[in-house]
Amino acid sequence: AGVYFHGASALDHTTRFGAEVLAANGVLATLDRVYQKRQLSEINLSAGALLLTSNFGGLLLLFALLPWRDELPAFAARAALWTQGHSSDLVAVLLSCVAGLGIGYTGLRFQKLVSASTFLAAQTGLRAFLAVLDHFLLGTRLSHVSMVGLAVTLIGTVMCWTEPKARSAAP
């Protein structure tokens, strides 16, 4: 990730603050995945219950900590349009919420089957794969250094998935 960001900063895709926020997000995501794995396996909490409690906790943090209040006038204007019959935007927002719940539920069900580190490796590899797709399909510029960082990430993800299988196949 560090190699990717170093290369991306050369193309003005990232800033130091952006990289610091993403690093903090990585630490928090790791703690969250370990907590969720414990809830799913040791306490045997269902994926649906954990999804609802996690989203509710995230909503509380959003209301308490983030500077979302600046967006209230824009949201109020959109809500006014919804009440006047312009509901296509509302439908898109609701479909996005349903899709997010589906992705979260599927992720928790998958996380119950694998270790927290394997789950994080899969998430990281998927994000790197999406960055590669973004480059090839949408034309986002990547430096050679960033490409090396993405390649290392993808190779590490494949190694994480193949190593445990190779070890368990040994007599």
Side-chain angles (χ1 to χ4, degrees), residues 106-127:
T106 304
L108 287 171
R109 296 286 297 169
F110 173 63
Q111 187 175 351
K112 191 169 187 171
L113 301 174
V114 298
S115 68
S117 58
T118 300
F119 186 77
L120 280 169
Q123 276 188 320
T124 303
L126 181 60
R127 289 178 181 161

